[in-house]
Amino acid sequence: MSSYRRVATADAAASSAPPSNDEAYMYGKRTRSERISDKIQALAWVVVAICTASYTHFFPTLFADERIIRPIFNVSMALFTINVILTLYLTIYLPCKFPKSPTFNVRATSPEFW
C-alpha cells in the first residue's frame, strides 16, 4: 500500500474505464487489510498522543500552573469549544438531518459530494 493516495476528481467519476487501485480507494472499494491498516495507524497516533500528554503532565500543568495567563486561557478555551461544537454540527448533525443533497442526489459524506 502506498502512502500517497490521489484525490477524487470529476473526470475520474465520469470515466467509463475500470477503476485503478487509487480510484478504487477513493470510492470506498478498499481491501479489508487497507481498512484495518488505517484503523491501526489511527489507534497508534491516539496512543502516542495519550502517552505524550501523560508523560509531560500536560493537563495538570494546563489547569494548575500559575504562569498561565488565565483571561487569555479562558478566552482560548471558549473559542476552542465553539470550534468543537461547529465541527460536531457539520460532521454529525447535518449528515444525519440531511442525508442526501437534492442538487447532487448523493450522500453528503460521500467523496462524490465534495
Side-chain angles (χ1 to χ4, degrees):
M1 181 178 81
S2 66
S3 60
Y4 172 75
R5 297 181 185 131
R6 294 179 52 198
V7 177
T9 62
D11 296 338
S15 173
S16 61
S20 67
N21 286 340
D22 290 336
E23 290 172 352
Y25 182 84
M26 290 185 291
Y27 297 112
K29 297 176 183 165
R30 299 181 297 154
T31 64
R32 173 179 237 146
S33 64
E34 288 175 331
R35 290 193 307 266
I36 291 172
S37 172
D38 286 348
K39 300 291 183 191
I40 290 172
Q41 289 176 16
L43 179 64
W45 280 112
V46 169
V47 168
V48 167
I50 290 171
C51 289
T52 302
S54 174
Y55 178 73
T56 60
H57 306 289
F58 178 73
F59 291 106
T61 303
L62 193 64
F63 293 109
D65 197 347
E66 287 90 25
R67 295 175 291 177
I68 294 176
I69 303 169
R70 288 291 153 193
I72 294 174
F73 175 73
N74 292 339
V75 168
S76 67
M77 291 305 292
L79 294 175
F80 181 76
T81 303
I82 291 170
N83 281 329
V84 168
I85 290 170
L86 289 174
T87 301
L88 292 175
Y89 172 76
L90 290 172
T91 59
I92 295 175
Y93 176 76
L94 286 181
C96 292
K97 182 75 173 167
F98 305 104
K100 290 195 176 194
S101 166
T103 306
F104 299 107
N105 198 24
V106 295
R107 292 186 58 81
T109 56
S110 70
E112 291 98 15
F113 182 82
W114 301 104

